[in-house]
């Protein structure tokens, strides 16, 4: 399993009441089942869940977290990232 998280810039189709799991400091339920993550240069990843934390009313922005079902998809997407390579140095050598 892998987890990726970071700032999120939603499109005009985003509706925090329909899509966000967390609005400001209140958990409002799992809303990620109706969402899909599509990456421009890859096929759709095997995502187990999507979580959105919306803190926009407090000017803290919106955070997106992707939970991957398998490590292979996560590795395919992030293997070249410096943080991934630093955390998994043994994979850099092909072992």
């Amino acid at each position: 399993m892998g987890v990726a998280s970071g700032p999120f810039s939603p499109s005009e189709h985003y509706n925090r009441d329909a899509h966000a799991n967390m609005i400001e400091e209140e958990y409002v339920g799992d809303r990620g089942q109706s969402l899909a993550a599509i990456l421009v240069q890859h096929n759709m990843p095997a995502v187990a869940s999507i979580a959105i934390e919306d803190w926009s009313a407090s000017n803290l922005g919106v955070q997106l977290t992707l939970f991957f079902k398998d490590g292979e998809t996560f590795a395919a997407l992030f293997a070249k990232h410096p943080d991934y390579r630093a955390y998994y140095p043994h994979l850099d050598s092909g072992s």
Side-chain angles (χ1 to χ4, degrees):
M1 179 179 199
V3 178
S5 185
F8 175 55
S9 298
S11 75
E12 68 276 0
H13 302 290
Y14 171 71
N15 177 327
R16 75 187 243 161
D17 294 324
H19 301 128
N21 298 54
M22 177 83 93
I23 298 177
E24 298 308 321
E25 56 195 50
E26 182 180 348
Y27 176 74
V28 294
D30 182 6
R31 309 277 176 77
Q33 295 176 357
S34 65
L35 304 174
I38 300 171
L39 303 175
V40 175
Q41 296 178 353
H42 300 277
N43 293 329
M44 185 177 3
V47 174
S49 185
I50 297 172
I52 299 174
E53 295 178 51
D54 192 316
W55 298 83
S56 55
S58 336
N59 293 321
L60 296 174
V62 183
Q63 179 87 7
L64 176 72
T65 302
L66 302 175
F67 300 92
F68 294 87
K69 291 179 183 177
D70 61 61
E72 290 178 21
T73 302
F74 181 81
L77 296 173
F78 297 101
K80 294 183 180 180
H81 191 280
D83 290 336
Y84 183 93
R85 294 172 73 166
Y87 193 78
Y88 298 108
H90 62 285
L91 298 178
D92 216 12
S93 65
S95 57

